[in-house]
Amino acid sequence: GNLVEISLMLDLTGSMGSDDGTGRTKMAALKSAATELVDLLLPDSGTTSARVALAPFAPTVKLDDAYLEAATGLPLTKSVCTQ
C-alpha cells in the first residue's frame, strides 16, 4: 500500500480552554479528534502504512532532558545547549 505521512500541529494555547459551542472545551474536542485520527491511521492490529508526527503550537515548548539526549546523542550540558 501507499505510505501516508501526516503532521499535526496541535493548538495548546490558553484559548483552547474556552467552550467549543457544544458544552465542552476546545481542548477536549481537539483531544477527541486527534485520538480518533491516530486510531484510524494506526490501528491496534499494527497493519498500517502511515506515520504521524505531532507538534505543539504553544508559546513555549518544554522537552524532557532524557528525550533531548536520546534525540541528539549528546549529553545535556550547558555548553551543548548554548551552541
Side-chain angles (χ1 to χ4, degrees), residues 16 18 20 22 24-36:
M16 295 300 285
S18 62
D20 73 348
T22 67
R24 64 181 180 172
T25 64
K26 291 178 182 179
M27 182 61 73
L30 170 68
K31 286 180 181 180
S32 177
T35 298
E36 287 181 35

Side-chain angles (χ1 to χ4, degrees), residues 12-76:
L12 305 179
T13 62
S15 66
M16 295 300 285
S18 62
D19 190 285
D20 73 348
T22 67
R24 64 181 180 172
T25 64
K26 291 178 182 179
M27 182 61 73
L30 170 68
K31 286 180 181 180
S32 177
T35 298
E36 287 181 35
L37 178 61
V38 170
D39 287 346
L40 178 69
L41 293 172
L42 304 171
D44 289 337
S45 66
T47 57
T48 184
S49 35
R51 290 193 277 191
V52 178
L54 303 175
F57 176 79
T60 59
V61 176
K62 169 129 176 53
L63 297 176
D64 180 83
D65 291 348
Y67 172 79
L68 288 173
E69 288 182 14
T72 63
L74 300 171
L76 189 61

